[in-house]
Amino acid sequence: MRVLLTGAAGFIGSHVRQALSDAGHEVVAIDLMLPAAHGPDAAPPDGVEQVDIRDADALDAFLRGIDVVSHQAAVVGAGVSAQDAPAYASHNDFGTAMLLAAMDRAGCRTLVLASSMVVYGEGRYRAADAEVVPPPRDPADLARGEFDHLDPRSGASLGWLPVDEDTPLRPRSLYAASKVAQEHYAAAWATATDATVTALRYHNVYGPEMPRDTPYSGVAAIFRSALEAGTAPQVFEDGRQLRDFVHVHDVAAANLAAVHAPLGGFVPVNIASGHPITIGAVADVLAAAHDGPAPVVTGRYRPGDVRHIVASPDRAGRLLGFTAAITPEQGLAAFAAAPLRAVASAGSPTW
């Protein structure tokens, strides 16, 4: 198949490009090369064209003869700055809308959309006898070190439940709001055009060529950068917040599976390892593998962060035949020595 890949020079996009090429697909690779993601003077890699997906004429040219679009391009990062809102709306939402319109003009009806677990917001929680929908955590509680959601009746900490794809979407950050909007545009487009959209809701992605320590890096890369500098990883809150870390090689495999098995209409699918791990344990694994200083639990917190968000990977296995091959403990230990992508600081993303 002939696949248009957006965001092809990015961390995830570059691995998706390799997986598609290795499987024999013809990949038409494009990337805007935003300075915030690639550095101020970065040139596109060989085989990648510098294209803005908000440029209708450019999209029309690159969509000729395309069978499937794999849309990885996005401005990323949660809880960084309220001033990033226009960049999220411009690149993630307006850019996606422009891409969908161009796909309609080109008669291309199959989209694999890179979404995110951030669409679920606080995730799912349970009290002793029922599921509970907690409000966002109170900054006053966070400031005094009360990080768990509490049962309003008993005052006990709420337990977590795995989020499946039918969990309501409750974004808690500006980035999350933009990803929800992306999904809504794609779902409406699929209905209007009788098209297929598989929205891959990535959980915490890490692996080789992850960007080095920037405000928009994933936490695994931030911990890695600290260890390389000989300093202890700084763990926010109490370190007991749960996440699912999925290796970028598994994410690329999931994208390949989605290209090979288009699903009818709009279908969201969690892409996760299926092995929950605390942020404190992530720091511990990396520090031990790097033979570096022990992590420091700081008690600090970021607005917009959620307490626990752990995926159910069942739908991915059932519909796409995808199961992650790499556990977080295995992958993070290897990640301690993996190459990272150097990105010169270029400030916030522009819009």
Side-chain angles (χ1 to χ4, degrees):
M1 282 187 284
R2 199 160 185 258
V3 182
L4 176 65
L5 174 63
T6 73
F11 164 49
I12 294 174
S14 60
H15 288 276
V16 173
R17 182 187 178 199
Q18 188 66 56
L20 290 168
S21 296
D22 288 348
H25 297 293
E26 180 185 352
V27 181
V28 178
I30 63 175
D31 198 296
L32 180 54
M33 302 301 297
L34 271 175
H38 299 281
D41 301 313
D46 288 346
V48 177
E49 294 290 334
Q50 189 163 0
V51 175
D52 190 334
I53 61 169
R54 299 167 299 180
D55 182 336
D57 291 339
L59 284 178
D60 288 343
F62 280 95
L63 275 163
R64 292 191 189 107
I66 293 295
D67 300 301
V68 182
V69 174
S70 175
H71 183 29
Q72 307 295 319
V75 171
V76 301
V80 179
S81 170
Q83 296 306 307
D84 293 336
Y88 293 138
S90 179
H91 293 284
N92 297 359
D93 303 333
F94 180 63
T96 297
M98 291 292 286
L99 175 64
L100 295 172
M103 290 178 68
D104 180 50
R105 291 192 298 274
C108 181
R109 296 288 184 263
T110 305
L111 174 67
V112 178
L113 173 67
S115 188
S116 171
M117 57 90 173
V118 297
V119 299
Y120 297 119
E122 299 291 342
R124 295 177 64 203
Y125 294 85
R126 58 176 172 79
D129 57 354
E131 187 166 344
V132 177
V133 179
R137 293 180 295 172
D138 188 330
D141 292 337
L142 297 172
R144 64 171 177 264
E146 181 57 72
F147 302 115
D148 282 337
H149 291 288
L150 302 179
D151 184 343
R153 297 170 300 175
S154 68
S157 294
L158 295 177
W160 61 272
L161 292 167
V163 291
D164 61 25
E165 291 83 355
D166 296 324
T167 300
L169 308 185
R170 299 187 179 98
R172 296 296 194 228
S173 70
L174 295 166
Y175 169 60
S178 78
K179 299 306 285 186
V180 170
Q182 270 191 314
E183 287 200 10
H184 286 169
Y185 275 112
W189 173 81
T191 299
T193 62
D194 193 25
T196 289
V197 178
T198 304
L200 303 180
R201 290 175 177 165
Y202 303 153
H203 286 249
N204 292 71
V205 186
Y206 70 98
E209 301 303 326
M210 199 173 184
R212 288 187 179 274
D213 186 9
T214 79
Y216 302 89
S217 296
V219 68
I222 292 171
F223 289 164
R224 257 290 306 274
S225 294
L227 290 163
E228 287 185 347
T231 60
Q234 304 290 296
V235 179
F236 279 19
E237 301 189 14
D238 58 4
R240 293 199 288 270
Q241 58 271 43
L242 277 163
R243 299 289 188 271
D244 187 301
F245 277 72
V246 59
H247 197 279
V248 70
H249 290 168
D250 282 324
V251 170
N255 275 272
L256 185 62
V259 166
H260 288 169
L263 307 172
F266 175 86
V267 182
V269 182
N270 286 331
I271 302 302
S273 72
H275 296 272
I277 186 170
T278 67
I279 295 297
V282 170
D284 288 338
V285 170
L286 288 170
H290 204 276
D291 196 23
V296 173
V297 177
T298 67
R300 297 200 304 273
Y301 61 92
R302 296 190 308 177
D305 275 357
V306 300
R307 182 57 171 167
H308 304 302
I309 183 77
V310 175
S312 166
D314 294 346
R315 182 180 289 183
R318 188 172 68 254
L319 297 186
L320 297 179
F322 167 77
T323 301
I326 304 169
T327 67
E329 289 80 7
Q330 294 168 334
L332 288 164
F335 178 64
L340 296 182
R341 180 179 303 200
V343 177
S345 177
S348 298
T350 57
W351 53 280

